[in-house]
Amino acid sequence: MAAFLTRVKGRFQRLLERPATVDLKKYGEVLTSIEWREERVKKLSDAELTEAAGELREKALGGLDAQGMVELCALGREAARRGLDQRPYDMQLVGAMELLHGRVVEMGTGEGKTLAGALAAAGYALQGRSVHVMSVNDYLARRDAEWMAPVYGLLGVSVGWVDQESTPDERRAAYGKDVTYGAVSEIGFDVLRDRLCTDVDDLVHRDPDVALIDEADSVLVDEARVPLVMAGSTDDAKGDPEVAAIVRALRPGRDYERDEDNRNAWLTARGAKSVEKALGDIDLYSGDHSDRLAAVNAALHAHALLQRDVDYIVRDGKVHLINTSRGRIALLQRWPDGLQAAVEAKERLDPTESGEVLDSISVQGLIGRYQQVCGMTGTATAVSEQLREFYDLKVSVIPPNKPCVREDEKDRIYDTVDHKEAALVAEIVKVHETGRPILVGTLDVAESERVAEKLAEAGVSSVVLNAKNDAEEAAIVADAGAHAAVTVSTQMAGRGTDIRLGGAGGDEDDHDKVAELGGLYVIATGHYSSSRLDNQLRGRSGRQGDPGGSVVYASLADELVTQYAPDAAAGSDPDDDGRLDDATAQRFIEHAQRVAEGVHLDIHRNTWRYTRLIEHQRGLVLAYRDDVLRTDLAAEQLKERCPDRWAALDVDDEVLGKVARQILLYHLDDRWTHHLAFLSDVRETIHLRALARETPIDEFHRAAIGEFKGIMKEIGERAGETFEEAEITADGIDLAAAGLRRPTSTWTYLVHDNPFDSDAEQALQRVRAAIKKVKAARG
């Protein structure tokens, strides 16, 4: 009964906490006060405006009261009018105020999220807080920092930005500003780099305080599971060309099988014998050949489950992963070393450098370091439950400044992909003749190029964007609303850039000309695995009350349907063009999308259950490391542990303190690296426990906690041994000579979550599948 009441209470609470449009009545009086104050602020000189912001800073330390919020919005509105020639709408001010209350705000495309975010960031800064405005890429981070700089300047708030090209000194200066813009990955990489510093002066970050996240759903949900990794040089892990060639000759169904989700592949008995013979009649499953088995499994995954131009592209002799949620190249991302090397061998490429993982942190763990988190996006409602569950964040929906009049047509569904694409091309040709601009949203790079080729054959010239260059594509996407423009784009190409009717450089006449044709017409070549991504694409049209339209072309042979609703079938026969005009087909597609969303949520939830403990342990280690780095703790501990050795050394106290710090930091870093490797090994084999009816996550926690208990003691003992045995002179210690060698080079990258489960999980799935078949046979 208690469990039932708990479930009912949880559901009732979720119902109450569902996102709702902000009640403007509670802001009515505030907005009126802002307008009243605005009239007086207009009379101030620039210097007086900045002085007024300084007075607000003095009053707002510790928080903004109601009058302080009015003052901030009035000053911010005037700063934007002078600095950007833009007077923020009331809804932008409401959005800023909701951000200052720690919410994730949903504001539609073209509603001015960037400026609302800047006003909120300034509001936090004037309270004496440091703010990191996180974006999805370097281009948007730098663009927004430079774009909003005049507003910040008039408010007396300093602003900086970091990107991949920033030097350590530039990073240190940027993080020293009141507000710092940066891609979430770059900010995370700097956290990891600071983890290796052995001198306080080398640190670039300050203590994390406020995170204001642009495209919050992408960062907090889509990328939450992505580990940011710092590696150090070791012997290169190489793919095996011989194994790749052997696997390349295997045939599906005969030599290997795949599960229905296309996430796992395994050798059949016949396939295993074929591989063993090709490798010299070895026993692939003996302990002596475990390395060969791992290479075969990785090669099989690369061959059978990863598609070129869908999951990755090859450019400049290297494999570049494609971020499926953004439809763009995932810069600095890679799979775990074994799979990465296998794909490189599959494509007959030189292997890239690999190494030992020195530290890693998930995006979710990175965000968890901040005292205050808020964010903004055009599609937050669909992920409100995840935001509440994983981050304790609530969503506020900000009404549009002008009602959206975009016409979203019902899906046009076909029986096959060929019929779908033929109809899609015919529709584009017909609409293009009117001069109405068209934006075609594709599911992957290969599809975008295929559609563009078919359009060219039909006499329609198009611009193809495959998310390869953020800056160039932002400029091109800005012109997607020009008269007669046809733009074919993957989902996220040019995101963050408004598409104005008539084109970026068009005047009012150009705008009106396109508006009379119906505005921008968005055509999707299929549904994404998330309705949220569908809505993001639709949202490119109909900004600020402009006319627009959208339609989705789908088929029952689309990957979404075949993977998540494989039994889908139409309720009626298709017409001569293959079109299915019945509710059954639509229900199957909607069902497939719901299943896909559920799968992704389960993966997110399960991954977080594993990483939550690691993040906690990491926090304990780093807190201790920070004390060692910033205080005399290392000297105190080694003096206590090795009193005779300490007293016998005729070395300056200051030098000995530095030596103690170097020794202790080395062993701490080395032991944490090995702890991560241990946890990785445990995670890879933990699902064998499920075969013994043990709960994998409980077993993982038991192993992780047990291993961690002795870590601090071991670090101290190793540091003591080194201090006793190493040669210490007036100049300090030669760590390398003492056998304490740090990596000669380090680099950072994101690990694309292995899309395949471990061998043990595959075995478990096969067992379950067999049981399912037996039960079905018994009927």
Side-chain angles (χ1 to χ4, degrees):
M1 185 65 179
F4 171 76
L5 291 175
T6 299
R7 288 197 300 271
V8 171
K9 181 181 178 182
R11 290 174 182 171
F12 184 65
Q13 183 177 359
R14 287 197 295 272
L15 181 65
L16 291 177
E17 293 179 349
R18 281 180 179 172
T21 302
V22 171
D23 182 5
L24 297 181
K25 291 181 181 178
K26 73 174 184 178
Y27 280 112
E29 188 174 325
V30 175
L31 292 172
T32 299
S33 298
I34 291 171
E35 287 197 16
W36 180 86
R37 176 60 178 148
E38 179 187 0
E39 292 303 312
R40 286 153 179 76
V41 171
K42 284 181 179 178
K43 300 175 183 178
L44 300 177
S45 66
D46 287 356
E48 290 170 334
L49 192 154
T50 304
E51 184 180 349
E55 293 173 357
L56 176 61
R57 185 190 287 264
E58 294 177 2
K59 297 176 183 177
L61 290 176
L64 284 168
D65 57 17
Q67 186 55 43
M69 194 72 79
V70 169
E71 182 74 357
L72 168 68
C73 290
L75 294 172
R77 175 176 268 174
E78 182 61 17
R81 189 185 68 79
R82 297 184 190 186
L84 305 176
D85 196 25
Q86 295 180 22
R87 180 182 180 272
Y89 305 121
D90 283 352
M91 293 305 98
Q92 287 173 288
L93 298 183
V94 171
M97 287 186 277
E98 287 291 299
L99 287 168
L100 285 163
H101 285 120
R103 302 294 182 90
V104 172
V105 301
E106 179 174 291
M107 297 176 68
T109 300
E111 293 295 320
K113 291 188 291 292
T114 303
L115 179 51
L119 296 179
Y124 279 117
L126 291 175
Q127 296 176 57
R129 308 191 68 172
S130 62
V131 186
H132 290 171
V133 181
M134 298 185 180
S135 187
V136 293
N137 60 50
D138 285 347
Y139 163 72
L140 289 177
R142 179 172 181 174
R143 184 202 70 177
D144 291 350
E146 294 178 339
W147 182 16
M148 295 293 117
V151 178
Y152 288 119
L154 285 166
L155 294 175
V157 173
S158 59
V159 61
W161 50 267
V162 294
D163 65 12
Q164 294 179 38
E165 305 301 322
S166 299
T167 66
D169 285 342
E170 290 170 340
R171 294 174 190 276
R172 202 170 293 111
Y175 288 121
K177 305 290 187 182
D178 295 324
V179 178
T180 308
Y181 283 74
V184 62
S185 57
E186 200 57 36
I187 290 174
F189 287 149
D190 280 335
V191 170
L192 294 178
R193 293 183 188 108
D194 274 359
R195 245 283 281 117
L196 281 189
C197 289
T198 57
D199 192 308
V200 173
D201 293 336
D202 294 332
L203 298 173
V204 299
H205 264 294
R206 293 192 288 173
D207 290 338
D209 189 7
V210 178
L212 194 160
I213 305 167
D214 194 10
E215 307 291 2
D217 55 333
S218 291
V219 172
L220 298 178
V221 176
D222 298 332
E223 298 187 3
R225 297 178 289 113
V226 175
L228 286 75
V229 174
M230 178 171 61
S233 56
T234 60
D235 292 334
D236 287 348
K238 294 182 173 64
D240 192 323
E242 179 188 12
V243 171
I246 293 170
V247 169
R248 198 177 290 120
L250 299 179
R251 292 176 57 184
R254 185 192 72 182
D255 300 315
Y256 65 87
E257 294 179 354
R258 289 175 283 215
D259 65 10
E260 60 185 18
D261 293 332
N262 210 41
R263 286 177 58 82
N264 298 286
W266 57 90
L267 293 173
T268 63
R270 179 173 177 173
K273 288 182 180 179
S274 176
V275 172
E276 287 175 334
K277 183 177 180 180
L279 290 174
D281 291 320
I282 67 171
D283 180 357
L284 198 56
Y285 297 96
S286 72
D288 293 337
H289 297 103
S290 59
D291 56 338
R292 282 297 212 182
L293 177 60
V296 169
N297 281 329
L300 182 60
H301 288 159
H303 172 74
L305 302 176
L306 292 176
Q307 298 181 53
R308 182 170 175 169
D309 291 335
V310 175
D311 299 296
Y312 65 92
I313 67 170
V314 175
R315 189 202 303 156
D316 300 329
K318 294 183 179 180
V319 170
H320 299 270
L321 276 66
I322 294 175
N323 184 318
T324 53
S325 68
R326 298 187 195 171
R328 70 184 314 114
I329 288 176
L331 294 176
L332 295 179
Q333 277 201 37
R334 59 184 291 150
W335 288 294
D337 283 340
L339 183 57
Q340 181 79 18
V343 174
E344 291 163 350
K346 167 189 172 182
E347 298 293 344
R348 300 180 175 87
L349 301 173
D350 293 333
T352 54
E353 191 175 23
S354 64
E356 182 179 41
V357 172
L358 303 176
D359 199 6
S360 71
I361 186 172
S362 68
V363 171
Q364 189 162 345
L366 172 67
I367 301 302
R369 301 173 70 246
Y370 288 84
Q371 302 299 311
Q372 176 82 58
V373 179
C374 59
M376 51 195 181
T377 178
T379 48
T381 302
V383 291
S384 60
E385 187 171 339
Q386 285 118 296
L387 294 175
R388 180 187 56 78
E389 177 179 351
F390 297 119
Y391 301 97
D392 196 26
L393 288 171
K394 295 181 180 179
V395 172
S396 296
V397 181
I398 309 299
N401 183 54
K402 295 180 180 179
C404 179
V405 296
R406 184 185 64 244
E407 296 181 5
D408 299 322
E409 301 179 35
K410 70 175 185 178
D411 291 359
R412 300 181 188 179
I413 304 173
Y414 293 81
D415 56 350
T416 68
V417 173
D418 287 342
H419 280 145
K420 177 188 74 172
E421 292 188 351
L424 180 146
V425 170
E427 173 74 356
I428 294 173
V429 171
K430 183 180 73 173
V431 174
H432 177 62
E433 290 176 351
T434 70
R436 186 181 186 184
I438 302 169
L439 175 63
V440 184
T442 62
L443 299 175
D444 54 57
V445 173
E447 186 178 45
S448 66
E449 293 176 347
R450 186 171 66 248
V451 169
E453 289 175 3
K454 291 184 176 181
L455 287 175
E457 292 171 0
V460 177
S461 177
S462 63
V463 177
V464 183
L465 300 181
N466 287 333
K468 295 175 181 176
N469 185 296
D470 295 318
E472 291 179 8
E473 293 187 357
I476 295 172
V477 164
D479 271 330
H483 184 266
V486 177
T487 309
V488 180
S489 170
T490 51
Q491 161 67 7
M492 292 298 295
R495 191 173 179 189
T497 303
D498 280 350
I499 300 177
R500 299 176 181 274
L501 298 190
D507 56 22
E508 197 64 30
D509 290 338
D510 296 318
H511 173 279
D512 294 344
K513 182 179 180 180
V514 172
E516 290 172 3
L517 295 172
L520 180 65
Y521 188 27
V522 172
I523 302 178
T525 61
H527 281 285
Y528 294 93
S529 58
S530 164
S531 60
R532 181 168 47 85
L533 299 180
D534 289 341
N535 291 333
Q536 288 173 2
L537 179 59
R538 288 192 185 98
R540 306 305 294 266
S541 174
R543 63 177 297 280
Q544 281 294 317
D546 281 340
S550 74
V551 65
V552 178
Y553 278 75
S555 85
L556 294 186
D558 287 349
E559 184 178 352
L560 174 70
V561 180
T562 58
Q563 186 168 350
Y564 295 104
D567 299 325
S572 62
D573 293 329
D575 63 18
D576 293 341
D577 295 322
R579 185 167 181 179
L580 299 165
D581 194 14
D582 65 86
T584 303
Q586 183 71 53
R587 283 199 298 271
F588 270 117
I589 291 175
E590 292 172 354
H591 170 71
Q593 192 173 61
R594 285 195 297 272
V595 172
E597 290 173 334
V599 168
H600 294 155
L601 175 57
D602 284 345
I603 292 173
H604 185 173
R605 185 176 286 134
N606 192 51
T607 302
W608 181 234
R609 291 171 68 197
Y610 281 99
T611 58
R612 183 166 48 188
L613 176 61
I614 301 174
E615 299 293 354
H616 173 68
Q617 292 180 343
R618 185 179 188 279
L620 295 176
V621 168
L622 291 192
Y624 175 63
R625 190 184 197 281
D626 199 54
D627 284 343
V628 172
L629 185 64
R630 297 176 183 275
T631 70
D632 294 328
L633 181 61
E636 294 170 2
Q637 291 187 348
L638 286 182
K639 185 176 182 180
E640 180 180 349
R641 182 177 291 275
C642 312
D644 294 340
R645 170 68 165 163
W646 188 280
L649 288 169
D650 185 19
V651 177
D652 183 271
D653 288 344
E654 188 174 339
V655 172
L656 272 183
K658 184 176 181 180
V659 167
R661 184 178 299 113
Q662 289 176 303
I663 292 174
L664 194 55
L665 286 177
Y666 171 84
H667 286 294
L668 187 153
D669 293 341
D670 182 66
R671 187 62 185 84
W672 177 247
T673 295
H674 284 86
H675 184 64
L676 289 179
F678 169 79
L679 295 180
S680 179
D681 289 341
V682 171
R683 176 80 186 274
E684 285 298 313
T685 60
I686 200 67
H687 286 275
L688 285 171
R689 307 287 187 176
L691 293 173
R693 297 183 177 275
E694 298 174 358
T695 306
I697 187 66
D698 290 342
E699 289 300 307
F700 177 82
H701 281 176
R702 189 174 294 116
I705 292 172
E707 175 74 7
F708 188 75
K709 279 183 177 178
I711 197 171
M712 294 301 182
K713 180 181 178 182
E714 186 176 341
I715 290 169
E717 290 174 349
R718 290 183 178 183
E721 291 172 2
T722 299
F723 188 76
E724 290 280 6
E725 299 171 3
E727 181 181 356
I728 300 173
T729 68
D731 295 326
I733 184 174
D734 183 341
L735 290 178
L740 311 185
R741 291 183 175 84
R742 287 188 175 272
T744 54
S745 63
T746 61
W747 61 96
T748 52
Y749 59 89
L750 291 88
V751 175
H752 186 286
D753 229 9
N754 192 335
F756 321 111
D757 299 327
S758 67
D759 295 337
E761 288 178 286
Q762 294 176 32
L764 177 60
Q765 289 187 1
R766 291 197 291 277
V767 169
R768 287 175 173 168
I771 293 173
K772 185 176 179 182
K773 287 180 181 179
V774 170
K775 287 182 177 179
R778 291 175 177 173

